[in-house]
């Protein structure tokens, strides 16, 4: 690890000037706080879906946020271009998500007819994979339990997102959801993942 003075310290302690506060293994206190802030944000986003607070869920997204769930191609690889290949869900900005919420709220969706589904989102293995100023790339695993018509379905996968950390609360700039069990017997919607 390189400290603020430019010296390398691999012991996890501060250098002789006392300018870097790290935990054993070279993780800074700032990284720990940032990771916990991100976790709390992700938990809150999931809770808004579980509680069907879709308008508050939308507040987690930047106006230009891209939401993409690629499909699995026949060769068991994910599609790579939402403009040229099929996707399970693709919205180039929050406006698409707002339209989706409108359809859910007004029963203009075959995926959300009555009775309303119940979901339980679980998030695990949250890690920051890159950091650039006020943005962070994050990867996490998840599974969702979905109950409707006296049947429980399970969805699971990995999400990659870019967060804007500059404001009081993080905002999602980009979200790519990889649904690992994509062979499902009904329409997949945003609240499944």
């Amino acid at each position: 690890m390189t400290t603020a003075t430019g010296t390398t310290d691999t012991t996890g302690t501060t250098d002789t000037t006392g300018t870097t506060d790290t935990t054993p293994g070279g993780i800074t206190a700032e990284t720990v706080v940032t990771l916990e802030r991100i976790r709390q944000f992700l938990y809150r986003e999931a809770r808004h879906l579980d509680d069907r607070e879709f308008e508050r869920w939308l507040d987690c997204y930047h106006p230009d946020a891209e939401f993409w769930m690629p499909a699995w191609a026949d060769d068991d690889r994910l599609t790579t271009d939402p403009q040229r290949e099929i996707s399970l869900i693709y919205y180039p900005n929050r406006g698409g998500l707002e339209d989706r919420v409108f359809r859910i709220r007004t029963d203009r969706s075959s995926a959300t007819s009555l009775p309303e589904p119940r979901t339980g989102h679980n998030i695990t293995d949250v890690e920051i994979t890159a950091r650039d100023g006020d943005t962070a790339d994050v990867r996490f695993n998840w599974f969702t339990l979905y109950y409707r018509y006296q049947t429980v379905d399970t969805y699971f996968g990995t999400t990659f997102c870019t967060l804007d950390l500059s404001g009081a609360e993080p905002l999602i700039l980009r979200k790519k959801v990889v649904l690992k069990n994509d062979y499902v017997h009904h329409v997949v919607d945003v609240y499944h993942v």
Side-chain angles (χ1 to χ4, degrees):
M1 159 190 117
T2 303
T3 65
T5 59
T7 59
T8 301
D9 179 2
T10 58
T11 64
T13 60
T14 58
D15 68 345
T16 57
T17 62
T19 58
T20 303
D21 180 21
T22 61
T23 58
I27 299 173
T28 66
E30 179 185 359
T31 300
V32 172
V33 169
T34 301
L35 184 57
E36 186 57 28
R37 180 180 180 216
I38 289 169
R39 279 191 191 117
Q40 292 304 314
F41 171 75
L42 295 173
Y43 298 156
R44 187 169 49 256
E45 183 208 6
R47 178 175 44 84
H48 291 323
L49 289 173
D50 290 341
D51 294 347
R52 303 189 65 74
E53 297 172 338
F54 295 118
E55 291 73 19
R56 292 182 78 186
W57 174 73
L58 286 170
D59 290 340
C60 296
Y61 288 81
H62 187 276
D64 296 325
E66 177 185 64
F67 187 104
W68 180 36
M69 188 187 317
W72 290 94
D74 291 336
D75 58 1
D76 203 32
R77 288 187 299 156
L78 287 171
T79 56
T80 59
D81 185 349
Q83 301 297 328
R84 295 188 178 139
E85 298 173 288
I86 193 165
S87 297
L88 297 175
I89 298 175
Y90 178 69
Y91 297 115
N93 57 49
R94 191 172 86 182
L97 293 172
E98 291 168 352
D99 180 65
R100 186 75 214 116
V101 167
F102 172 78
R103 292 175 183 279
I104 291 168
R105 288 285 191 219
T106 58
D107 294 327
R108 295 181 181 180
S109 165
S110 61
T112 55
S113 60
L114 296 176
E116 291 186 342
R118 299 178 218 157
T119 60
H121 289 76
N122 298 273
I123 295 172
T124 185
D125 303 330
V126 178
E127 59 183 312
I128 299 170
T129 57
R131 187 81 194 262
D132 184 17
D134 286 333
T135 63
D137 290 338
V138 177
R139 178 191 196 278
F140 61 93
N141 294 322
W142 55 269
F143 73 93
T144 303
L145 298 174
Y146 167 87
Y147 177 81
R148 191 170 180 197
Y149 302 125
Q150 300 178 349
T151 303
V152 176
D153 291 326
T154 303
Y155 298 87
F156 64 93
T158 302
T159 294
F160 303 87
C161 58
T162 300
L163 301 178
D164 176 358
L165 303 174
S166 65
E169 295 295 329
L171 285 176
I172 297 170
L173 297 172
R174 186 177 313 109
K175 187 171 192 178
K176 176 183 173 184
V177 179
V178 177
L179 179 63
K180 304 257 178 112
N181 62 324
D182 67 321
Y183 190 76
V184 294
H185 57 273
H186 52 77
V187 177
V188 176
D189 211 327
V190 292
Y191 51 77
H192 290 114
V193 298

